[in-house]
Amino acid sequence: MAHAVPTHRTSTGARTGAGTSASGASGHTPPDVFGARTHLLAKWAMPLAIGLVYGYWAASVRRHGGPITGWNLLFGFMTVLAFAILWYVVRAVADRLPREGHAVLWGAFAGSALGFLYSGSGVAMFTCILVSLLLAAAVTAGLYYHYATHQDAEEARTARTRNPARTGTT
């Protein structure tokens, strides 16, 4: 069954700025399924969970298929700690940077993380550096595109909200 999309009009039929809200052209705000507490938990738990996978991966690369030792476990947990702390620091610093710096910082983090893992496998250093730089460039380009398109759209929505007479809607 089809339903009509509600429009925002006054009792006289004049539009009240639908389409100029910060929520988008349709005036529809997508529902936030999770609460603020869940988002906060995910913000702090996600780097730790990814760090655990990264630490396990680093420890398994370092032991080269041999038995698991206490030193190997210590190396894995120290890698988890370093990865999670660096993630928190990069996230805190990147939020204060313009979109170019934000993208470059996350690209450098991703490239460095891959380089650390890849160097432990015993490949030539030139290969390790090349692969790390390629990943860093790809992450930087992708994030720059993402931030540029989303921030430009948000700035346009903000401009329309502040001055609706300029967009032709009253």
Side-chain angles (χ1 to χ4, degrees):
M1 177 189 293
H3 295 282
V5 177
T7 59
H8 301 287
R9 295 183 184 270
T10 63
S11 60
T12 61
R15 294 182 71 86
T16 60
T20 61
S21 67
S23 60
S26 67
H28 173 71
T29 304
D32 189 8
V33 179
F34 302 111
R37 184 175 177 188
T38 305
H39 285 288
L40 182 64
L41 179 66
K43 179 181 177 180
W44 289 101
M46 188 176 73
L48 187 60
I50 294 172
L52 285 169
V53 172
Y54 185 83
Y56 172 75
W57 193 352
S60 67
V61 166
R62 184 168 177 157
R63 65 185 172 95
H64 300 291
I68 298 174
T69 63
W71 290 112
N72 188 252
L73 286 174
L74 179 65
F75 176 76
F77 284 116
M78 294 306 289
T79 304
V80 170
L81 183 65
F83 183 88
I85 288 172
L86 284 173
W87 180 302
Y88 295 132
V89 169
V90 167
R91 185 177 60 198
V93 171
D95 287 342
R96 294 176 176 88
L97 295 175
R99 62 182 167 217
E100 297 86 6
H102 196 128
V104 167
L105 188 59
W106 279 110
F109 177 73
S112 299
L114 177 69
F116 177 73
L117 284 179
Y118 201 42
S119 68
S121 66
V123 298
M125 193 54 62
F126 177 75
T127 307
C128 177
I129 292 170
L130 181 66
V131 169
S132 297
L133 287 175
L134 287 173
L135 178 70
V139 169
T140 299
L143 286 177
Y144 177 76
Y145 175 77
H146 174 77
Y147 295 137
T149 56
H150 284 73
Q151 285 180 352
D152 289 346
E154 285 183 24
E155 289 169 2
R157 278 194 295 270
T158 303
R160 279 195 312 262
T161 303
R162 288 186 187 151
N163 192 2
R166 234 176 139 195
T167 62
T169 59
T170 56

